[in-house]
Every structure is written in C-alpha cells, then in structure tokens.
Amino acid sequence: NGAVISLCGVPAVPRLLALLDDGSDEEREAAAHALGKIGANSPDLLPEIFPRLVRELEKTHEASCSGILLAFGSVGQHFPELVRKHIPKLLKFLRSENPDTVRYAVLALGNLATANPTLVRDARPELERLAESTDIELSANAQMALSLL
C-alpha cells in the first residue's frame, strides 16, 4: 500500500512515477499516495512530483482515486497554495456514487482545511450534507472538516 511504499522514500520516486504511467489501478493508487507523502516531506521533490500528481488527478476515475485524493490532501496540508487551483477538481468527488471516493475526498479536504480553511470554504454545503450521512465514518470526517472552516 502507499504507506509501505512511502517508507522507501526518495530512492523510490522514479519507480513510483513510472507506476503512475504503467501500473495497474491499484499500483497507481498506491504510487500516488506514496508520492504525496514523499512530496509533503521532501519539498525539493515537489517540482518533479506535483505535476505528475495533477495529471493523475485529471485522468483518474472514481474507482481508483483514493491514492490521488490522499496525495493532494498530504501535499495540500503542507503546501496549500500549491493545490489551490485544483480544489474544484477535488470538490467534484464529494458527489461520487462511490462511497470510498467520497470518504477520501472529505479526508483530503479536511487536510487542506487544517492548513488554510478558506481554500475549502466552497465545500461547506456538501460537507454539511455529508455530515448528516448514515455512514458514521463519513459523517464524522465531514463534521471534523466543517469544524475547521
């Protein structure tokens, strides 16, 4: 998974970037998640990593987007201005039919809110709706994100 791969750190970056291009959906998810963690902890690598994460966000489909959403949350928590213009893309995942996708989008937006709440203020109506969900985990995460706004 992404956490395990990220333990490899900087030496793993070339292989992780390659997985974004030629890996299976599961491998791309794990690679994106790991790259987000590495980028958040190694800002000197962000010029190489972040454009690739943006491309992955633009082409990802809902069934395999958890890694990229977590990556944007990780990077955005430390470098919110870097992800600012991509937040509308993250917001669209709040309306996904896939419950896991919605959960990961809420987590990513919550991470962004810890760094700069004004960046995710447009998510408030959707987060309020999701805070009323019967899915306890989703509701709790949406409430947490709202508490930061």
Side-chain angles (χ1 to χ4, degrees), residues 2-16:
V4 172
I5 293 173
S6 71
L7 293 175
C8 300
V10 176
V13 169
R15 178 67 184 130
L16 292 170

Side-chain angles (χ1 to χ4, degrees), residues 41-61:
N41 292 300
S42 302
D44 55 310
L45 294 175
L46 280 174
E48 178 183 9
I49 292 173
F50 195 70
R52 298 293 299 279
L53 292 176
V54 169
R55 273 188 279 168
E56 191 66 20
L57 178 67
E58 290 171 353
K59 72 178 185 179
T60 194
H61 49 86

Side-chain angles (χ1 to χ4, degrees), residues 28-137:
R28 284 193 344 270
E29 274 190 72
H33 186 193
L35 287 164
K37 286 185 172 290
I38 292 168
N41 292 300
S42 302
D44 55 310
L45 294 175
L46 280 174
E48 178 183 9
I49 292 173
F50 195 70
R52 298 293 299 279
L53 292 176
V54 169
R55 273 188 279 168
E56 191 66 20
L57 178 67
E58 290 171 353
K59 72 178 185 179
T60 194
H61 49 86
E62 291 182 4
S64 63
C65 67
S66 64
I68 193 64
L69 291 172
L70 291 173
F72 268 76
S74 293
V75 172
Q77 189 171 19
H78 299 281
F79 307 99
E81 293 306 313
L82 192 60
V83 302
R84 175 186 291 275
K85 73 178 185 177
H86 305 288
I87 290 173
K89 295 173 191 161
L90 297 176
L91 294 177
K92 73 178 183 173
F93 291 107
L94 294 176
R95 285 242 174 229
S96 172
E97 295 293 321
N98 183 322
D100 289 332
T101 298
V102 176
R103 278 188 212 100
Y104 287 116
V106 169
L107 287 172
L109 291 166
N111 282 346
L112 289 168
T114 63
N116 186 341
T118 61
L119 288 179
V120 296
R121 68 177 173 253
D122 290 343
R124 180 180 287 282
E126 286 300 316
L127 291 171
E128 288 172 346
R129 178 183 65 81
L130 295 169
E132 300 298 321
S133 173
T134 57
D135 179 322
I136 294 170
E137 180 184 352

